[in-house]
Amino acid sequence: MFPVKELKRSALISLWFAFLTFPIMVIKVDPIERIVHWRWDNMFFIAFGSFVLSILAKVFMIQKERRASRKKRKIAAEPLIQRIAREPRFLYPLVVACFAFGVSFPFLFSTYQTNIMTTALMYVVLGLGLNIVVGVAGLLDLGYVAFYAVGAYSYALLNLNFDMGFWAVLPIGGLLAAFLGVILGFPVLRLRGDYLAIVTLGFGEIIRLVLENWNAFSQGPSGIANIPRPGFFGMEMTFAGGITYIYYIVLVLVVITIFVVNRLQNSRLGRAWLALREDEIACQAMGIDKTKTKLIAFSLGAFWAGFVGVLFAAKTTFVNPASFTFLESAIILSIVVLGGMGSIIGVIVGALILILLPEYLRALSEYRMLAFGAILVIMMVFKPEGIISNVRRSYKFKGTNTPEGEIHE
Amino acid sequence: MDYFIELLFGGLTRGSIYALIALGYTMVYGIIGLINFAHGEIYMIGAFTSFIVATVLSIYGFPLLAIVVIAAVAAAVWSSAYGFTVEKLAYRPLRKAPRLAPLISAIGMSIFLQNYVLLAQTSDFLPFPELIPEFAFMEPVAHIVGSSDMVILVTTAVVMVALTCLIKFTKIGKAMRATAQDKTMAVLVGVNVDRVISATFIIGSALAAIGGLLIASHIGQINFYIGFLAGIKAFTAAVLGGIGSIPGAVLGSLVLGLTESFATGYISSDYEDVFAFSLLVLILIFKPSGLLGKAETKKV
Amino acid sequence: MSDSPTILEVEGLSKYFGGIKAIDNVDLDIRQGEIVALIGPNGAGKTTFFNCLTGIYKPTAGDIKLSDPRNGKSTRLNGKKPNKITEIGMARTFQNIRLFPTMSVLENVMIGRHCRTKSLIFGAITRNKATRIEEAQIIERSYEILKKVGLHRQVNEQARNLSYGAQRRLEIGRALATEPFLLLLDEPAAGMNPKETEALVALIREICAEGHSILLIEHDMKLVMTLSDRIFVMDYGKKIAQGTPVEVRENPAVIKAYLGEDVDA
Ligand SMILES: Nc1ncnc2c1ncn2[C@@H]1O[C@H](COP(=O)(O)OP(=O)(O)O)[C@@H](O)[C@H]1O
Ligand SMILES: [Mg+2]
């Protein structure tokens, strides 16, 4: 079974972690009352936990190696989800079932649940938008939340100052965000990947800090309240009705987004994005305008964030800069990374898991951000392709004027 | 004039702290080409460790000098241990992965460590014990330059000299320089690259921990989130100086510290952090190789 | 051949990396329909020369002029972006193969069609008639090219699963898809076995016969001597000789540069 050598190694690891976490996990001081709490039980948990985890990680690694060697012998078994996603026979009924569930959700569950689901669906759209940028085109955008903020504040401010309605601002919010994406993207997209990540992070923080400090423009940290919910041909709506209404708007947006993202991925443009992710220099040598192609991905992603931003403002009826911190970008990034970069189904599943799980398991919600951080690390180390790796349809040549046998051999 | 000198020293103090953190960024980048996003958190953990140790010791009635020494050593030891562990867990398995993978992993590590400290300790700001006394001989200038400013400047200078000696004259320092220049060549001449990388993380983390201790006692309070901003600013400094270059990191830090100090002093303090972020964005756009770095053409 | 128009004219090209003079004041010209070889020991600066021509490196000094034989338009390439240069009509392969490894063989060639096609966001989303026609044409043209380079049987394979020789041929196919009038090949026979090399020679001849001019870097002297109309020889960044295969073979400077290497082999 498990070799003794490995057990010894795990024991050492657990000792190391007991030592490592000693000051922070065990000691807690109260500097005012001048009391020291020694929490030795924590040390035990850490030691035990790291022992078990190190064994699990080892087992996982061994299995992964075994699978890799099996793949070399060409019996690569495709995971179930992937097979389902590839087969229209299974995929279409599944999509229809999901859609039917989505449509009937507000009737089946309470307003409270509907509201939570709306949030989750908004993250689905955000994830799909960021997925174009990070997953498909390979541009790590850590300031995605800035475009989300632009959308939200567009609605808040245009409504406050010019009394503009939700439906009028919805496209404007998206376009403003996309415009900002172009303005920012133009100088920065020629930067190397990791620098791009940091520049976008800095940019996101600048936007937030400006919103926080420019009181005359954005009402500062206190934010803007009493933003109207979307109107429905001027009808008055109950609170619950309003929530259901927004739910459906978001649901429609989800469907549109999936449709558009799917089409984009399987197009001349989508091909260029993929190629750009694989080898920029070869791409340029093949005549692809790197900056232009990246700019399109970047501003399309921004467009979606702006769109959802408007919805966010309408849903919560309140915006302030605190909703648009770097952590928000990190959450959306976690969704994309967990789901599988470039994979539409993956991103949907990722968003639902990451947003719904902490909502329903209240005990977990405290550990939410801890888990998000851990997910980014664990996915990168163990499963960089995500839980549902990209099942992009590659162009299967079916041979119009050549006998079938000549191609498939 | 007094105000100018006050701002000048304020800027130098800030810059010194940035330098202690920026060195970790620049050394790691020089060796494995990774923006170690979690480095700010290592600094935060250094500050927390020294806070915990110093407070415990002062509750048990230790003399000030012993508290300072033990807290500093503990901060350095534990920060190094964290730096070492983070590299092993989150970066080493990704050495051959595409460039963005370790960066994403580093971001995850950063978020994880923040929340780890938040959950294990508290989200409140904690009062940091005064470890640096007001020296009597500083009395005449105390309204312009505080004792802690002086201590920070002197400590940083000493640490820089020590680091320079370490890199110039010791075996591990030479191995680090060789690895930074050409990893394949270094392996060929018998350098143990894994060990060099670990050493780099350990040294960088220890420096950040010293920075954490100094800034915490200078400002007088800490919380779990201080690493984020300090980390980004130190990274800005490292890029400003030319990432990968050790003198560059120090120069960039001082320039950034002074810029911030004068900008907040003469223009507006509301936008203190905006100055740093704007500087970061502008440098990366217009001169990504920094002040002392050299622009390289990627071999095709 | 000597009366054909000049399509590429390089004058005084230099490229320095810090203190290294990777290319030092090199002149070169190619006329329409020619196969020209660029040879020289390792590190002579040949690949760097290609990189300067194709805009991947910015030359330190010198002039590069490319003239399209199809319409006689000539363009100064200095400072142009690589994709612009490919659009004008010069495409290349890479010494250290740079395919898109996880994309299929067909898709690799389809990427080559990118600069000759137009559809963008609107077309992608609506999939209107023009887009569908364009897409069908991309696939058809790419398949034809794959047939030409002999890879049509592996059309749906991932590029990284191809053999070394096949990957080199795929790179040629991908470059051809951009419709170049001048094709630059960087060590196309490297890593090929004799049989593959023979097929490659035939392929290059065929491409040339279709009206493409070719500049190739190659170490296989037999291939160079049989294929080339003219040869340029570089050593330590400088051009040390040029001429017909016979002239170059007998040039003492070349023999000296290759001392220890068997020129005839
Ligand atoms: N990006 C670069 N940075 C620094 N030196 C380079 C770069 N590219 C090439 N060189 C140097 O230029 C010289 C010529 O290289 P190369 O053009 O690859 O030679 P060849 O293709 O003839 O073998 C070599 O000394 C090489 O090290
Ligand atoms: Mg070469």
Side-chain angles (χ1 to χ4, degrees), chain B residues 163-221:
Chain B
L163 180 70
T164 311
C165 291
L166 182 104
I167 288 174
K168 276 240 156 72
F169 304 119
T170 64
K171 199 164 160 237
I172 191 76
K174 282 176 190 158
M176 279 165 73
R177 275 184 296 154
T179 314
Q181 220 159 56
D182 188 337
K183 212 182 309 179
T184 5
M185 255 336 255
V187 175
L188 288 180
V189 298
V191 171
N192 182 342
V193 173
D194 281 345
R195 190 175 304 162
V196 168
I197 292 172
S198 287
T200 309
F201 273 84
I202 289 172
I203 295 168
S205 303
L207 295 176
I210 303 296
L213 173 95
L214 291 174
I215 190 80
S217 64
H218 183 60
I219 292 181
Q221 57 174 11

Coordinates of all heavy atoms in Angstrom, one line a residue, chain B residues 163-221:
Chain B
L163 N 23.8 42.8 2.4 CA 23.3 42.0 1.2 C 24.3 42.1 0.1 O 24.6 41.1 -0.6 CB 21.9 42.6 0.8 CG 21.3 41.9 -0.4 CD1 20.9 40.5 0.0 CD2 20.2 42.7 -1.0
T164 N 24.9 43.3 -0.1 CA 25.8 43.4 -1.2 C 27.0 42.5 -1.0 O 27.5 41.8 -1.9 CB 26.3 44.9 -1.3 OG1 25.2 45.7 -1.3 CG2 27.1 45.1 -2.5
C165 N 27.5 42.4 0.3 CA 28.6 41.5 0.6 C 28.2 40.1 0.3 O 29.0 39.3 -0.3 CB 29.0 41.7 2.0 SG 29.8 43.3 2.4
L166 N 27.0 39.7 0.8 CA 26.5 38.4 0.6 C 26.5 38.0 -0.9 O 27.0 36.9 -1.2 CB 25.1 38.3 1.2 CG 24.5 36.9 1.1 CD1 24.5 36.2 2.5 CD2 23.1 36.9 0.6
I167 N 26.1 38.9 -1.7 CA 25.9 38.5 -3.1 C 27.3 38.6 -3.8 O 27.6 37.8 -4.7 CB 24.9 39.5 -3.8 CG1 23.5 39.1 -3.3 CG2 25.0 39.4 -5.3 CD1 22.5 40.0 -3.7
K168 N 28.2 39.5 -3.4 CA 29.5 39.6 -4.0 C 30.4 38.5 -3.6 O 31.1 38.0 -4.5 CB 30.1 41.0 -3.6 CG 29.6 42.1 -4.5 CD 30.8 42.8 -5.3 CE 30.3 43.4 -6.5 NZ 29.5 44.7 -6.3
F169 N 30.4 38.2 -2.3 CA 31.6 37.4 -1.8 C 31.2 35.9 -1.4 O 32.1 35.1 -1.4 CB 32.3 38.1 -0.7 CG 32.7 39.5 -1.0 CD1 32.2 40.6 -0.4 CD2 33.6 39.7 -2.1 CE1 32.6 41.9 -0.8 CE2 34.0 41.0 -2.5 CZ 33.5 42.1 -1.8
T170 N 30.0 35.6 -1.1 CA 29.8 34.3 -0.6 C 29.5 33.3 -1.8 O 29.2 33.8 -2.9 CB 28.5 34.2 0.3 OG1 27.4 34.5 -0.4 CG2 28.7 35.1 1.5
K171 N 29.6 32.0 -1.5 CA 29.4 31.0 -2.5 C 28.0 31.1 -3.0 O 27.7 31.1 -4.2 CB 29.7 29.7 -1.9 CG 29.9 28.6 -3.0 CD 30.6 27.4 -2.4 CE 30.4 26.2 -3.3 NZ 29.8 25.1 -2.7
I172 N 27.0 31.2 -2.1 CA 25.6 31.2 -2.5 C 25.3 32.5 -3.3 O 24.6 32.4 -4.3 CB 24.6 31.0 -1.3 CG1 23.2 30.8 -1.8 CG2 24.6 32.2 -0.4 CD1 23.0 29.4 -2.3
G173 N 25.9 33.6 -2.9 CA 25.7 34.8 -3.7 C 26.2 34.7 -5.1 O 25.6 35.1 -6.1
K174 N 27.4 34.1 -5.3 CA 27.9 33.9 -6.6 C 27.0 33.0 -7.4 O 26.8 33.2 -8.6 CB 29.4 33.3 -6.6 CG 30.4 34.3 -6.2 CD 31.8 33.7 -6.0 CE 32.7 34.7 -5.4 NZ 33.9 34.1 -4.8
A175 N 26.5 31.9 -6.8 CA 25.6 31.0 -7.5 C 24.4 31.7 -7.9 O 23.8 31.5 -9.0 CB 25.3 29.8 -6.6
M176 N 23.9 32.7 -7.0 CA 22.7 33.4 -7.4 C 23.0 34.3 -8.6 O 22.1 34.3 -9.5 CB 22.3 34.3 -6.2 CG 21.5 33.6 -5.2 SD 21.4 34.5 -3.6 CE 20.3 35.7 -4.1
R177 N 24.1 34.9 -8.6 CA 24.4 35.8 -9.8 C 24.5 34.9 -11.1 O 24.0 35.3 -12.1 CB 25.7 36.6 -9.6 CG 25.4 37.8 -8.8 CD 26.7 38.6 -8.7 NE 27.7 37.9 -7.9 CZ 29.0 38.1 -8.0 NH1 29.5 38.9 -8.9 NH2 29.8 37.4 -7.3
A178 N 25.1 33.8 -10.9 CA 25.3 32.9 -12.1 C 23.9 32.5 -12.6 O 23.6 32.5 -13.8 CB 26.1 31.7 -11.8
T179 N 23.0 32.1 -11.7 CA 21.7 31.6 -12.1 C 20.9 32.7 -12.7 O 20.2 32.5 -13.7 CB 20.9 31.1 -10.9 OG1 21.8 30.2 -10.1 CG2 19.7 30.3 -11.3
A180 N 21.0 33.9 -12.2 CA 20.3 35.0 -12.7 C 20.7 35.3 -14.2 O 19.9 35.7 -15.0 CB 20.5 36.3 -11.9
Q181 N 22.0 35.1 -14.4 CA 22.6 35.4 -15.8 C 22.1 34.4 -16.8 O 21.6 34.7 -17.8 CB 24.1 35.5 -15.7 CG 24.6 36.6 -16.5 CD 26.0 37.0 -16.1 OE1 26.9 36.2 -16.0 NE2 26.2 38.3 -15.7
D182 N 22.3 33.1 -16.4 CA 22.0 32.1 -17.4 C 21.7 30.8 -16.7 O 22.7 30.2 -16.2 CB 23.1 32.0 -18.4 CG 22.8 31.0 -19.6 OD1 21.9 30.2 -19.4 OD2 23.4 31.2 -20.6
K183 N 20.5 30.4 -16.6 CA 20.1 29.2 -15.7 C 20.8 27.9 -16.3 O 21.3 27.2 -15.5 CB 18.6 29.1 -15.6 CG 18.3 28.5 -14.3 CD 16.8 28.3 -14.0 CE 15.9 29.4 -14.3 NZ 14.5 29.1 -14.1
T184 N 20.7 27.7 -17.6 CA 21.3 26.5 -18.2 C 22.8 26.4 -17.9 O 23.3 25.4 -17.6 CB 21.0 26.4 -19.7 OG1 20.4 27.6 -20.1 CG2 20.1 25.3 -20.0
M185 N 23.4 27.6 -18.1 CA 24.9 27.6 -17.9 C 25.2 27.3 -16.5 O 26.1 26.5 -16.2 CB 25.4 29.0 -18.2 CG 26.1 29.2 -19.6 SD 26.9 27.7 -20.2 CE 28.6 28.0 -19.8
A186 N 24.4 27.9 -15.6 CA 24.6 27.6 -14.1 C 24.5 26.2 -13.8 O 25.4 25.6 -13.1 CB 23.6 28.4 -13.3
V187 N 23.5 25.5 -14.4 CA 23.4 24.1 -14.1 C 24.6 23.3 -14.6 O 25.2 22.5 -13.9 CB 22.1 23.5 -14.8 CG1 22.0 22.0 -14.6 CG2 20.9 24.2 -14.2
L188 N 25.1 23.7 -15.8 CA 26.2 23.0 -16.4 C 27.5 23.2 -15.5 O 28.3 22.2 -15.5 CB 26.5 23.6 -17.8 CG 25.5 23.2 -18.9 CD1 25.8 23.8 -20.2 CD2 25.4 21.7 -19.0
V189 N 27.7 24.3 -14.9 CA 28.9 24.5 -14.1 C 28.6 24.0 -12.7 O 29.4 24.3 -11.8 CB 29.4 25.9 -14.0 CG1 29.8 26.4 -15.4 CG2 28.3 26.9 -13.4
G190 N 27.5 23.3 -12.5 CA 27.3 22.6 -11.2 C 26.6 23.4 -10.1 O 26.7 23.0 -8.9
V191 N 25.9 24.4 -10.5 CA 25.1 25.1 -9.5 C 23.8 24.4 -9.2 O 23.1 23.9 -10.2 CB 24.8 26.6 -10.0 CG1 23.8 27.2 -9.0 CG2 26.0 27.4 -10.1
N192 N 23.4 24.2 -7.9 CA 22.2 23.6 -7.6 C 21.1 24.6 -7.7 O 20.9 25.4 -6.7 CB 22.3 22.9 -6.2 CG 21.0 22.2 -5.8 OD1 19.9 22.5 -6.4 ND2 21.1 21.4 -4.9
V193 N 20.4 24.7 -8.8 CA 19.5 25.8 -9.0 C 18.3 25.8 -8.0 O 17.9 26.9 -7.5 CB 18.9 25.8 -10.5 CG1 17.8 26.8 -10.7 CG2 20.0 26.0 -11.4
D194 N 17.8 24.6 -7.7 CA 16.7 24.6 -6.7 C 17.1 25.2 -5.4 O 16.4 26.0 -4.8 CB 16.4 23.1 -6.4 CG 15.5 22.5 -7.5 OD1 15.0 23.3 -8.3 OD2 15.3 21.3 -7.5
R195 N 18.4 24.9 -5.0 CA 18.8 25.5 -3.7 C 19.0 27.0 -3.8 O 18.7 27.8 -2.9 CB 20.2 24.9 -3.3 CG 20.5 25.3 -1.9 CD 21.8 24.5 -1.4 NE 21.6 23.1 -1.4 CZ 22.7 22.3 -1.4 NH1 23.9 22.8 -1.3 NH2 22.5 21.0 -1.5
V196 N 19.5 27.5 -5.0 CA 19.7 28.9 -5.2 C 18.3 29.6 -5.1 O 18.2 30.7 -4.5 CB 20.3 29.2 -6.5 CG1 20.3 30.7 -6.9 CG2 21.8 28.7 -6.5
I197 N 17.3 29.0 -5.7 CA 16.0 29.6 -5.7 C 15.5 29.7 -4.3 O 15.0 30.7 -3.9 CB 15.1 28.8 -6.7 CG1 15.5 29.0 -8.1 CG2 13.6 29.3 -6.5 CD1 14.8 28.2 -9.1
S198 N 15.6 28.6 -3.6 CA 15.1 28.6 -2.2 C 15.9 29.7 -1.4 O 15.2 30.5 -0.6 CB 15.4 27.3 -1.5 OG 14.5 26.3 -2.0
A199 N 17.2 29.8 -1.6 CA 17.9 30.8 -0.9 C 17.4 32.2 -1.2 O 17.3 33.0 -0.3 CB 19.4 30.6 -1.2
T200 N 17.1 32.4 -2.5 CA 16.6 33.7 -2.9 C 15.4 34.1 -2.2 O 15.2 35.2 -1.7 CB 16.4 33.7 -4.4 OG1 17.5 33.2 -5.0 CG2 16.1 35.1 -4.9
F201 N 14.5 33.1 -2.1 CA 13.2 33.4 -1.4 C 13.4 33.6 0.1 O 12.8 34.5 0.7 CB 12.2 32.2 -1.6 CG 11.4 32.3 -2.8 CD1 11.9 31.9 -4.1 CD2 10.2 32.9 -2.8 CE1 11.2 32.0 -5.2 CE2 9.4 33.0 -4.0 CZ 9.9 32.6 -5.2
I202 N 14.4 32.9 0.7 CA 14.6 33.0 2.1 C 15.2 34.4 2.4 O 14.7 35.1 3.3 CB 15.6 31.9 2.6 CG1 14.8 30.6 2.6 CG2 16.1 32.2 4.0 CD1 15.6 29.4 2.9
I203 N 16.2 34.8 1.6 CA 16.8 36.1 1.8 C 15.8 37.2 1.6 O 15.7 38.1 2.4 CB 18.0 36.3 0.9 CG1 19.1 35.2 1.3 CG2 18.6 37.7 1.0 CD1 20.2 35.1 0.2
G204 N 15.1 37.1 0.5 CA 14.1 38.2 0.2 C 13.1 38.3 1.3 O 12.7 39.4 1.7
S205 N 12.6 37.2 1.8 CA 11.6 37.2 2.8 C 12.1 37.8 4.1 O 11.4 38.5 4.8 CB 11.1 35.8 3.1 OG 10.6 35.2 1.9
A206 N 13.4 37.4 4.5 CA 13.9 38.0 5.7 C 14.0 39.5 5.6 O 13.7 40.2 6.5 CB 15.3 37.4 5.9
L207 N 14.5 40.0 4.4 CA 14.5 41.5 4.2 C 13.2 42.1 4.4 O 13.0 43.1 5.1 CB 15.1 41.8 2.9 CG 16.5 41.4 2.6 CD1 16.9 41.7 1.1 CD2 17.5 42.1 3.5
A208 N 12.1 41.5 3.8 CA 10.8 42.0 3.9 C 10.3 42.0 5.4 O 9.7 42.9 5.8 CB 9.8 41.2 3.1
A209 N 10.7 41.0 6.1 CA 10.3 40.9 7.5 C 10.9 42.1 8.3 O 10.2 42.7 9.1 CB 10.7 39.6 8.1
I210 N 12.2 42.4 8.0 CA 12.8 43.5 8.7 C 12.0 44.8 8.4 O 11.7 45.6 9.2 CB 14.3 43.7 8.3 CG1 15.1 42.4 8.6 CG2 14.9 44.8 9.0 CD1 15.2 42.0 10.0
G211 N 11.7 44.9 7.1 CA 10.9 46.0 6.6 C 9.6 46.1 7.4 O 9.1 47.1 7.8
G212 N 8.9 44.9 7.6 CA 7.7 44.9 8.3 C 7.8 45.3 9.7 O 7.0 46.1 10.2
L213 N 8.8 44.9 10.4 CA 9.0 45.3 11.7 C 9.2 46.8 11.8 O 8.6 47.5 12.7 CB 10.3 44.6 12.3 CG 10.7 45.0 13.7 CD1 10.1 44.1 14.7 CD2 12.2 45.1 13.8
L214 N 10.1 47.3 11.0 CA 10.4 48.7 11.0 C 9.2 49.6 10.8 O 8.9 50.5 11.5 CB 11.5 49.1 10.0 CG 12.9 48.5 10.4 CD1 13.9 48.8 9.2 CD2 13.4 49.1 11.7
I215 N 8.5 49.3 9.7 CA 7.3 50.1 9.3 C 6.3 50.0 10.4 O 5.6 51.0 10.8 CB 6.8 49.8 7.9 CG1 5.8 50.9 7.5 CG2 6.1 48.5 7.9 CD1 6.4 52.1 6.9
A216 N 6.0 48.8 10.9 CA 5.0 48.7 11.9 C 5.3 49.5 13.1 O 4.4 50.2 13.7 CB 4.8 47.2 12.3
S217 N 6.5 49.5 13.6 CA 6.8 50.3 14.8 C 6.9 51.8 14.4 O 6.6 52.6 15.3 CB 8.1 49.8 15.4 OG 9.2 50.1 14.6
H218 N 7.1 52.1 13.2 CA 7.1 53.5 12.8 C 5.7 54.1 12.7 O 5.4 55.1 13.3 CB 7.8 53.6 11.4 CG 7.9 55.0 10.9 ND1 8.7 56.0 11.5 CD2 7.4 55.6 9.8 CE1 8.6 57.1 10.8 NE2 7.9 56.9 9.8
I219 N 4.8 53.3 12.1 CA 3.4 53.8 12.0 C 2.6 53.5 13.2 O 1.7 54.3 13.6 CB 2.8 53.1 10.7 CG1 3.5 53.6 9.5 CG2 1.3 53.4 10.7 CD1 2.9 53.1 8.2
G220 N 2.9 52.4 13.9 CA 2.3 52.1 15.1 C 1.1 51.2 15.1 O 0.4 51.0 16.1
Q221 N 0.7 50.8 13.9 CA -0.4 49.8 13.8 C -0.3 48.9 12.6 O 0.4 49.3 11.6 CB -1.8 50.5 13.8 CG -1.9 51.5 12.7 CD -3.3 52.1 12.6 OE1 -4.1 51.9 13.5 NE2 -3.6 52.8 11.5

